[in-house]
Amino acid sequence: MPHRLAQPGGHVVFRDLSWTIREGETWAIIGPVGSGKTTLAETLLGKHPTSEGEVRWPLLDRLRAAGRHVNDPSE
């Protein structure tokens, strides 16, 4: 996950975030309106770049190594 994630326009949503989602886990993201839930989900789908850090998808790497054509997580 990114170390710093900003919404379009520059509002910082998360700082110093480190989060690993493992295969088979289910997560729920909750919070008040405007807290960054949609921005986080869109970033995970590859719709927003992170201003620092990185978002990694080991599953996509494994699928690509197996020959599957996948451009981004939303596929």
Side-chain angles (χ1 to χ4, degrees):
M1 292 302 298
H3 295 194
R4 182 172 181 233
L5 172 62
Q7 289 179 318
H11 174 73
V12 175
V13 180
F14 299 104
R15 293 182 207 279
D16 300 322
L17 176 65
S18 178
W19 182 23
T20 302
I21 302 171
R22 292 177 182 82
E23 194 170 338
E25 292 181 339
T26 302
W27 288 80
I29 308 301
I30 61 172
V33 172
S35 63
K37 300 177 303 292
T38 299
T39 302
L40 174 61
E42 289 174 345
T43 301
L44 293 174
L45 291 172
K47 293 182 178 185
H48 302 296
T50 58
S51 59
E52 295 176 13
E54 62 183 356
V55 177
R56 293 179 295 181
W57 286 94
L59 174 60
L60 294 184
D61 295 337
R62 290 196 311 265
L63 291 172
R64 290 175 183 142
R68 185 162 173 192
H69 178 73
V70 182
N71 287 322
D72 58 62
S74 64
E75 293 180 358

